[in-house]
Amino acid sequence: MPPRPSRGRASSSRAASWAAALSLLLLASAPSVTAAPGHGSERSSTPGPAASPRTGLSAARTLYRVAFTESGLPTGTNWTVSFRTLNRTGPHRTLVFSAPNGTYSFRVARLLGEVPSPESGNVTVAGGPSVVAVSFRPVPVYVATFDERGLPVGTNWSVSVGGVRAAGGTANLSVPADPGNYSYVVGPVAGFVASPSAGSVNLSASNVTVAIGFTPNLYTVAFVEAGLANGTAWSVRLNGTLATSTSSYVDFSEPTGLFSYDVLPEFGYTSDLGSGDLEVDAENVTVPVTFTPVVYLLTFEETGLSGNVSWNVSVRGVVHASTARSLNFSLTDGIYNYSVGSPPGFFAASTGGTITILGANVTVLLRFAPTIDPVEFLETGLPTGDSWSVTVGNSTRTSDTSSVVFGLSDGTYGFAVDPPPGFTATPARGNVTVDNSAVTQDVAFQALPPPEYPVVFSEGGLPAGVPWAIWLNGTIRNATGSTLVFQEPNGTYPYAVGTPEGYRPTSLSGNVTVEGAPAEVNVTFFAALLGEYEVAFVEEGLPDGTNWSVSFGPYFLADTGPILEFPATNGTYAYRIGPVPGYRPVATFGNVTVNGRDLRENVAFSAVAPSLFAITFSEVGLPNGTNWAVTIDPTTANATGGTIEFLESNGSYTYAIDAVDGYAPSPSHGSVAVNGTTVPVDVRFSAPPRPPGFSFAGLSSDAGLAILLGVVAAGVLAVVWVRRRFRRSQGPEPSDAPVEAAPAGPGAPR
């Protein structure tokens, strides 16, 4: 072994000579010599005589060459060896270190697809150079692919696999590795949480794909109101979600982003905030809303009453009476049901209805007529506002509401119904019999199908027998001839041209208008450029005429037709489907590959529905101000007006309607299905019939019946007496003829 460094003066010249001789012998076989000063530092030098003990330096340490030689790697491949505390990397076959005598550990770094042998071990330096032969053998390379979902397009994210990090703004990241098990960690992304955020992948025998889902962090968006009466329900729609509250605030939970909102109008109030956009920027948001009540005048004006006759109107259970021609209510914005109280001896052409007050005063005209017997023709099936007519005897009456009312005396009368254009009536004619009571005759209208006209598409430019297609108003037809014929009623319809491979139309889509006659559209094709193909995106699920768009490579197209087509040569292209309000595509983006032929990509949309819908119960037949109730378990709602409303999500619900003081509801119970829209339920209460135009306020039913019978008896005696007087003075009695009261006006009930 090398001589130890001197710790003091030499004991004799013989010892010094021995040390010098031994140093010279070792240096002759070593590549370099390091002199070791007394404090322990080393430096390189060329071989020479040993330092004299008198200089203060210790005896020199000898370093020997340690060479690592590789085989199996392609020429010029960088490889790395860790020896002692040094790392050396190079493209050479041999990496060289120096070390004094001793045993040292080493490690050869793996290369992608190459495994060294030995990969680690020990090398012993014993008075001469050492060589370690390292052979590399190829191994399979497997790829760990991480697919993300939930991040906005272009958002940078990262993942580390076994210490190797991949990052980017694409939807997937890949890390290649030699066979083995590796742990991975998903890097943080501001505003999002990854799931899973860490784990392991087994790349022992194959590639592995790991799905990473990102969900946004949510923040509170609070709309805070001021000005509403305590307990008033108010609603806000944010980002398509409707929320209702009876407190002073409405809360939402939303991620970072820009969102549209609507503060829904409240009956009787105006707000300083309607619709707009707000931004959530990684913190909670508070939006103040101020409501102010507004009052307008609802005036009822009567015609047809004579003398000092009192009449009344009830609005939401509040009754106002008057002997003048008009009476007033002070009300805020809203929808109100009203009912008209007929004074004795008269009946109202309209016994009630619904009034909407929206930012202005409203006047309602009421017509009264002497009571005979009302005969009401009640229609169903017509659009609101369509006019229809009924003829009874020699009198014809027209209405744009749901009813036509005649005043008739006892007897049997023939009638005929005149429907508006495009409808048929059932029954179209018949008889009604009046027998001392009101009569209702139901009339059902059914729409006639509109006439259809040919829509002819004529093509030019295609060789005989080449197939082509047209999409028109939701229908696709194919042909190999020169024409395609559709049948459509009047209207304007979008169309799109389906192109055969190798040809292009001069216009891909358009509109055609049918106006009571056949319509023709000429479609001209031309040969496509060599090597150019069509990529067609075909939508389904959107209403006709809805605008939608596609970004394809460097192109962007938007249209209301079902097909968007792009020119493309061979290659792979990225595409993105544009947003459509109220709908979402199944896939927002993707890639298509053009390989020597035209390509068709289907785009399916689905509607985004609101969460709550109204179930509206509307009653007829109860006296004004009568309380009634509906139960949809476990909730019971009461009202003295004509409508009770529940807000429910999609699903099936059972209901029950209570009987009211001798009035039986029809239906009394049942079930309704909510499926993305409002559900109306009509409820009719029935009771023993009473003659119209009379009421017995404050009397029991027995006392009222006694008075009614007395009045009827007196009336019969009076009629007999008058008719006998008439016979005596005029001769033979004439045949019966229809007797009518004053005609019903536009206020007739619907």
Side-chain angles (χ1 to χ4, degrees):
M1 58 182 294
R4 294 173 169 241
S6 176
R7 293 184 178 272
R9 210 162 134 207
S11 59
S12 68
S13 61
R14 180 180 178 183
S17 299
W18 179 85
L22 183 59
S23 298
L24 288 173
L25 180 62
L26 293 174
L27 289 171
S29 63
S32 63
V33 177
T34 300
H39 52 71
S41 63
E42 295 183 2
R43 63 183 179 85
S44 298
S45 68
T46 58
S52 172
R54 299 176 181 275
T55 65
L57 297 174
S58 64
R61 285 195 306 165
T62 302
L63 301 181
Y64 298 94
R65 171 188 175 99
V66 179
F68 292 83
T69 302
E70 70 84 11
S71 62
L73 290 180
T75 301
T77 302
N78 279 315
W79 63 296
T80 300
V81 176
S82 298
F83 177 74
R84 300 178 69 191
T85 59
L86 298 176
N87 291 324
R88 289 197 176 164
T89 301
H92 310 296
R93 291 290 183 184
T94 302
L95 298 178
V96 178
F97 298 83
S98 296
N101 286 337
T103 298
Y104 306 97
S105 63
F106 69 88
R107 177 169 292 278
V108 181
R110 287 191 175 196
L111 300 178
L112 186 64
E114 301 283 348
V115 175
S117 178
E119 189 172 348
S120 62
N122 295 313
V123 60
T124 299
V125 179
S130 299
V131 176
V132 179
V134 179
S135 63
F136 284 87
R137 61 182 176 86
V139 295
V141 176
Y142 297 108
V143 178
T145 300
F146 295 82
D147 291 338
E148 71 83 10
R149 296 292 185 274
L151 290 179
V153 175
T155 301
N156 282 314
W157 64 295
S158 65
V159 63
S160 297
V161 180
V164 178
R165 182 176 182 270
T170 61
N172 52 66
L173 299 176
S174 297
V175 178
D178 293 336
N181 289 311
Y182 299 88
S183 61
Y184 68 86
V185 177
V186 181
V189 178
F192 290 85
V193 177
S195 177
S197 59
S200 63
V201 290
N202 185 351
L203 298 177
S204 298
S206 63
N207 299 330
V208 175
T209 298
V210 181
I212 306 296
F214 286 89
T215 55
N217 289 324
L218 298 179
Y219 303 92
T220 299
V221 179
F223 290 79
V224 181
E225 70 83 13
L228 290 179
N230 290 338
T232 301
W234 61 295
S235 302
V236 179
R237 182 179 288 107
L238 178 67
N239 194 28
T241 299
L242 180 69
T244 301
S245 174
T246 56
S247 66
S248 61
Y249 58 89
V250 174
D251 284 348
F252 297 87
S253 294
E254 298 293 345
T256 297
L258 185 66
F259 304 99
S260 61
Y261 66 84
D262 293 290
V263 178
L264 273 63
E266 295 304 315
F267 295 143
Y269 294 88
T270 59
S271 69
D272 62 345
L273 201 63
S275 301
D277 297 318
L278 59 83
E279 183 177 10
V280 178
D281 189 12
E283 62 181 1
N284 298 333
V285 177
T286 300
V287 182
V289 184
T290 301
F291 288 93
T292 303
V294 180
V295 176
Y296 300 97
L297 201 62
L298 173 59
T299 301
F300 292 89
E301 293 185 353
E302 70 82 13
T303 60
L305 295 180
S306 59
N308 193 28
V309 176
S310 178
W311 58 290
N312 65 78
V313 177
S314 173
V315 178
R316 283 194 178 178
V318 177
V319 179
H320 287 187
S322 176
T323 58
R325 288 200 56 198
S326 64
L327 52 79
N328 300 316
F329 292 82
S330 294
L331 302 170
T332 56
D333 280 346
I335 299 175
Y336 298 89
N337 294 318
Y338 71 89
S339 59
V340 180
S342 297
F346 293 88
F347 74 93
S350 173
T351 58
T354 300
I355 289 295
T356 300
I357 296 178
L358 188 60
N361 298 330
V362 175
T363 298
V364 179
L365 299 178
L366 299 178
R367 298 181 181 273
F368 291 91
T371 300
I372 303 175
D373 281 311
V375 176
E376 181 181 25
F377 291 83
L378 190 62
E379 71 84 10
T380 58
L382 286 183
T384 300
D386 275 17
S387 293
W388 58 294
S389 301
V390 178
T391 300
V392 176
N394 296 322
S395 177
T396 299
R397 291 184 182 170
T398 301
S399 174
D400 58 4
T401 68
S402 62
S403 69
V404 172
V405 179
F406 293 83
L408 302 174
S409 60
D410 290 353
T412 298
Y413 303 89
F415 69 87
V417 180
D418 184 17
F423 289 86
T424 60
T426 304
R429 58 184 60 251
N431 296 309
V432 291
T433 298
V434 181
D435 186 12
N436 198 33
S437 63
V439 177
T440 298
Q441 173 64 53
D442 292 326
V443 178
F445 287 99
Q446 288 184 327
L448 295 171
E452 295 183 341
Y453 303 92
V455 180
V456 181
F457 290 83
S458 301
E459 71 86 15
L462 291 179
V466 173
W468 58 293
I470 294 292
W471 176 93
L472 176 68
N473 194 25
T475 300
I476 297 178
R477 291 185 179 171
N478 303 279
T480 55
S482 61
T483 60
L484 273 172
V485 180
F486 296 78
Q487 296 289 332
E488 298 293 343
N490 287 337
T492 298
Y493 306 98
Y495 69 85
V497 181
T499 60
E501 191 165 335
Y503 293 87
R504 304 289 178 263
T506 56
S507 178
L508 291 171
S509 60
N511 293 300
V512 59
T513 299
V514 179
E515 294 180 309
E520 184 172 0
V521 179
N522 293 319
V523 180
T524 302
F525 290 94
F526 59 93
L529 298 176
L530 183 64
E532 183 181 273
Y533 307 94
E534 286 289 340
V535 178
F537 291 85
V538 183
E539 70 84 7
E540 60 182 21
L542 294 179
D544 292 343
T546 301
N547 192 69
W548 65 294
S549 63
V550 176
S551 297
F552 176 79
Y555 304 107
F556 173 83
L557 280 179
D559 202 355
T560 57
I563 302 174
L564 297 177
E565 294 185 339
F566 298 84
T569 56
N570 286 338
T572 299
Y573 300 83
Y575 70 86
R576 173 169 292 279
I577 309 302
V580 178
Y583 292 84
R584 65 163 60 96
V586 172
T588 305
F589 55 86
N591 295 298
V592 295
T593 298
V594 179
N595 187 15
R597 60 181 299 172
D598 293 345
L599 194 64
R600 173 190 176 104
E601 188 75 12
N602 294 325
V603 181
F605 286 88
S606 60
V608 180
S611 57
L612 296 178
F613 306 91
I615 303 175
T616 303
F617 294 85
S618 301
E619 72 83 12
V620 293
L622 288 180
N624 297 335
T626 301
N627 189 68
W628 63 295
V630 179
T631 298
I632 293 183
D633 191 46
T635 302
T636 298
N638 298 273
T640 56
T643 301
I644 293 176
E645 183 177 278
F646 295 82
L647 291 177
E648 302 291 348
S649 57
N650 286 337
S652 295
Y653 300 89
T654 59
Y655 65 85
I657 303 169
D658 296 341
V660 179
D661 293 337
Y663 289 84
S666 178
S668 61
H669 62 278
S671 63
V672 293
V674 178
N675 187 20
T677 186
T678 298
V679 179
V681 179
D682 293 328
V683 181
R684 182 179 293 273
F685 285 88
S686 59
R690 295 179 180 176
F694 290 88
S695 62
F696 303 99
L699 297 178
S700 67
S701 59
D702 291 340
L705 181 59
I707 294 175
L708 173 62
L709 293 175
V711 172
V712 171
V716 170
L717 292 175
V719 170
V720 171
W721 181 80
V722 170
R723 295 182 69 174
R724 288 180 176 175
R725 294 275 301 202
F726 182 86
R727 186 184 302 119
R728 291 171 182 168
S729 60
Q730 299 295 331
E733 181 176 334
S735 62
D736 290 339
V739 179
E740 298 179 3
R750 170 170 274 280

